Amino acid sequence: MRTRLFVAAIAVSLAAGALPGAAAAQSKPGMAPPAAAAPATVDVRVCNRSGRNGTVAISYVEVGTGRFINRGWYEVANGDCTALVSTDNANFYLYGDTLDGSGRTWSGNHALCVQYPGPYTFWSDGSDTCPSGYETRNFVVMHAEETGTYTWNLDP
């Protein structure tokens, strides 16, 4: 009976971490604790090769939030590349307009809300039901096959 009580007391002490040096046995002197793995991110950028100055809006799930954030307008001069955002979600949505009044757009078939004239930033559930003062635009659905830099080219 005494042996069972002694074994039970040791088990409780181990579970509670009461024995000195128990944590020290897990690492060697000079060893750094293991680093938490950083989420793999996609760095979205836009390069404008259209011959016109443009502006871009993006909708994506922000790193660590699980919610859509919608941002616009990022100006991208002709011939320039602009970094937009980093996200841990490989799926995101982009839309572009020209600034010269030509009516040229870079659009797709996924309706999302924007605000003119901008700049704007707002959270959403990703639906196409816009609050008062916002308009719907058809965004291009994008998917990055790997982490790192993802470039969207605004072509003529």
Side-chain angles (χ1 to χ4, degrees):
M1 180 71 156
R2 279 184 153 194
T3 304
R4 287 186 190 165
L5 288 175
F6 181 70
V7 171
I10 290 174
V12 169
S13 294
L14 286 173
L19 293 179
Q26 299 299 316
S27 63
K28 295 179 181 177
M31 270 181 71
T41 59
V42 176
D43 303 312
V44 182
R45 75 180 191 149
V46 174
C47 291
N48 187 347
R49 308 183 308 191
S50 71
R52 302 177 164 137
N53 293 331
T55 188
V56 175
I58 186 167
S59 180
Y60 63 101
V61 175
E62 192 170 48
V63 174
T65 67
R67 296 188 307 165
F68 277 90
I69 188 160
N70 307 278
R71 294 187 173 167
W73 295 100
Y74 295 89
E75 289 191 20
V76 186
N78 181 50
D80 285 350
C81 293
T82 300
L84 302 182
V85 299
S86 289
T87 179
D88 61 356
N89 188 329
N91 301 303
F92 41 92
Y93 309 88
L94 291 161
Y95 173 84
D97 276 332
T98 55
L99 293 172
D100 63 4
S102 67
R104 171 70 166 106
T105 65
W106 293 271
S107 59
N109 59 7
H110 190 85
L112 292 169
C113 302
V114 299
Q115 186 180 38
Y116 287 99
Y120 68 85
T121 299
F122 66 93
W123 297 96
S124 74
D125 61 6
S127 76
D128 62 355
T129 303
C130 300
S132 179
Y134 293 79
E135 300 176 28
T136 303
R137 292 291 178 267
N138 288 323
F139 281 61
V140 179
V141 178
M142 302 283 188
H143 176 78
E145 294 295 328
E146 55 191 51
T147 59
T149 302
Y150 182 94
T151 302
W152 185 38
N153 293 313
L154 302 180
D155 290 320

